[in-house]
Amino acid sequence: MLTFGVDIPLVEILLTFGIIIFILLVESVIIIGLLVKQLQKTKNVGMLLERLSQVLLEIKKAEIDELDKLRRK
């Protein structure tokens, strides 16, 4: 196959493209794996924040109840 006046065998072009595609495939699999791992961490942080807000609301409610009891006396 002639490319810019240089004879390049078609097998070498296919091999080169195959290697490049393989490298891109491995890189994309690694990136997707890292994104899934980060998504799990983000999900855990969200669940912990939800628990924290529930606990804070319960503490606030308990404090209000105690203040109401003190005011009645």
Side-chain angles (χ1 to χ4, degrees):
M1 174 180 199
L2 283 175
T3 305
F4 301 111
V6 179
D7 186 26
I8 301 174
L10 185 60
V11 174
E12 290 179 2
I13 292 174
L14 292 176
L15 183 63
T16 304
F17 284 147
I19 291 172
I20 291 171
I21 289 173
F22 179 74
I23 289 171
L24 290 174
L25 178 67
V26 168
E27 184 178 351
S28 64
V29 167
I30 290 172
I31 289 174
I32 289 172
L34 289 173
L35 286 172
V36 167
K37 189 175 180 180
Q38 189 66 33
L39 181 65
Q40 290 294 332
K41 287 181 182 179
T42 304
K43 183 179 176 182
N44 288 340
V45 168
M47 289 172 40
L48 289 174
L49 280 173
E50 182 181 349
R51 247 177 86 195
L52 177 65
S53 63
Q54 288 175 354
V55 168
L56 286 174
L57 287 174
E58 289 174 6
I59 290 172
K60 185 80 168 175
K61 185 177 178 183
E63 285 178 348
I64 290 173
D65 290 343
E66 285 296 321
L67 287 175
D68 286 343
K69 286 180 184 177
L70 290 175
R71 287 182 190 163
R72 290 180 191 157
K73 290 183 180 181

